[in-house]
Amino acid sequence: MNAPSPSPRLVRVLTRKWPDQPHWEYDALRLGADAHGQWVGLPVGTWMARPGAGMHATAPHVVLLPHDGWWLATFYGDEPERPFDVYVDIATPWRWNADETEARAVDLDLDVIKGSTGRVWVDDEDEFADHRVSLGYPVEIVAAAMRSCDEVHAAVAHSTGAFGGAHRDWLARLRRL
């Protein structure tokens, strides 16, 4: 862990659907930054919502907003209530507003998931294929999303880079708050 925030402040995390439609939104505690990106935390009970759905976090988890990657990674601990070990949304690069109280990216459907049994898979390839046509994803967006999905899948499967345990200290920090 490199630079924890002295006292975490709330930030709004907004994912959108192409080109700029509402998707998942939630408030998170900004925990700090390291070589991989900005880390935010969601304690148990945090409300997460999208149009037509919402839920409270059933397990504490941390989210990595990479400095320049085409993804957003959610990491869970070993609580029995966790839905996954790792859930990565392939998305456009994150952009912070001027006062860094809000981060936004566009979710590009593809997800790389590591289940609690250790199995790693890509989800929503059918949704991505449909939206490439129905929403008119530009060719360069499609190429970047597919490249990112392949890179993230390999990193999650082999526990390398940001997926090699970097989340553990951040998750421990969240639990101490």
Side-chain angles (χ1 to χ4, degrees):
M1 183 163 49
N2 288 356
S5 297
S7 57
R9 62 183 168 107
L10 279 179
V11 295
R12 186 80 174 157
V13 177
L14 300 132
T15 59
R16 312 294 284 172
K17 280 293 191 180
W18 191 266
D20 191 26
Q21 299 300 311
H23 195 45
W24 286 104
E25 299 183 15
Y26 51 86
D27 291 322
L29 296 168
R30 189 166 184 179
L31 301 173
D34 64 12
H36 304 293
Q38 295 287 331
W39 292 86
V40 300
L42 288 80
V44 171
T46 300
W47 180 249
M48 301 171 287
R50 68 174 183 175
M55 64 182 170
H56 291 279
T58 59
H61 55 283
V62 293
V63 177
L64 174 58
L65 309 174
H67 293 301
D68 58 6
W70 282 66
W71 47 270
L72 151 88
T74 303
F75 298 88
Y76 297 88
D78 55 6
E79 290 84 5
E81 300 81 14
R82 74 189 185 281
F84 307 100
D85 283 354
V86 180
Y87 193 102
V88 185
D89 292 287
I90 303 302
T92 61
W94 287 89
R95 300 291 175 247
W96 289 89
N97 66 353
D99 63 359
E100 295 192 351
T101 58
E102 183 179 285
R104 288 178 172 252
V106 177
D107 181 295
L108 296 170
D109 311 313
L110 295 168
D111 304 304
V112 177
I113 302 168
K114 181 177 183 180
S116 58
T117 65
R119 183 172 80 93
V120 178
W121 71 95
V122 176
D123 198 23
D124 293 334
E125 291 173 294
D126 55 340
E127 184 179 345
F128 180 71
D130 176 55
H131 286 168
R132 285 176 67 172
V133 175
S134 67
L135 297 178
Y137 289 173
V139 172
E140 62 275 8
I141 296 292
V142 170
M146 291 173 67
R147 183 175 49 254
S148 180
C149 187
D150 290 344
E151 291 168 359
V152 167
H153 185 271
V156 171
H158 299 292
S159 299
T160 60
F163 305 97
H167 71 283
R168 290 186 188 106
D169 287 339
W170 296 106
L171 193 55
R173 176 169 165 65
L174 174 65
R175 288 180 176 134
R176 288 191 303 269
L177 297 176

